[in-house]
Amino acid sequence: MALTTTAHTKVKTFFKNMVKEGRYIIGGVTKTTPIFRVLQEGDQITVYLYLNDSVAGSITKFQLIDVDGDVFDDQPDSVTKQDINGVLVAFRYSLKKL
């Protein structure tokens, strides 16, 4: 049984509304950051986190946190961020109707 177009659209909206905030681990300390932007283009949803130039150090993980406070997505990384530039982190998902 296939989803209707309306159901597919509602699933994408539900998915976008599930993410509450971002987290990153810098120097072994977990920090929280707001969602910078959520962009939906067709079946693709991209959630952006932006760390401005006040953040500097060795970042080992980026996470998205859902509305219940649970980890929604967990991306290990290894970034040495300088205090002269910001960094934009993208989490991209495709929700296709098959």
Side-chain angles (χ1 to χ4, degrees):
M1 182 183 252
L3 289 176
T4 65
T5 300
T6 300
H8 185 238
T9 300
K10 287 182 179 184
V11 167
K12 290 186 283 189
T13 300
F14 176 78
F15 187 89
K16 288 189 327 187
N17 292 330
M18 280 298 297
V19 179
K20 179 177 98 174
E21 63 191 7
R23 282 190 197 150
Y24 58 98
I25 298 175
I26 185 165
V29 178
T30 301
K31 304 279 187 166
T32 301
T33 188
I35 300 298
F36 177 68
R37 184 174 182 198
V38 178
L39 180 63
Q40 180 182 340
E41 295 175 321
D43 289 341
Q44 191 169 28
I45 298 170
T46 307
V47 179
Y48 293 97
L49 305 178
Y50 178 72
L51 306 181
N52 65 26
D53 59 1
S54 70
V55 176
S58 178
I59 301 172
T60 56
K61 186 180 287 189
F62 294 99
Q63 297 176 319
L64 293 180
I65 307 304
D66 70 16
V67 294
D68 297 323
D70 297 320
V71 176
F72 184 84
D73 195 347
D74 184 62
Q75 296 296 322
D77 209 332
S78 180
V79 175
T80 301
K81 182 172 172 318
Q82 304 297 319
D83 62 359
I84 57 172
N85 292 324
V87 66
L88 187 64
V89 180
F91 290 81
R92 185 166 290 141
Y93 308 95
S94 291
L95 299 175
K96 295 190 179 198
K97 182 178 169 185
L98 300 175

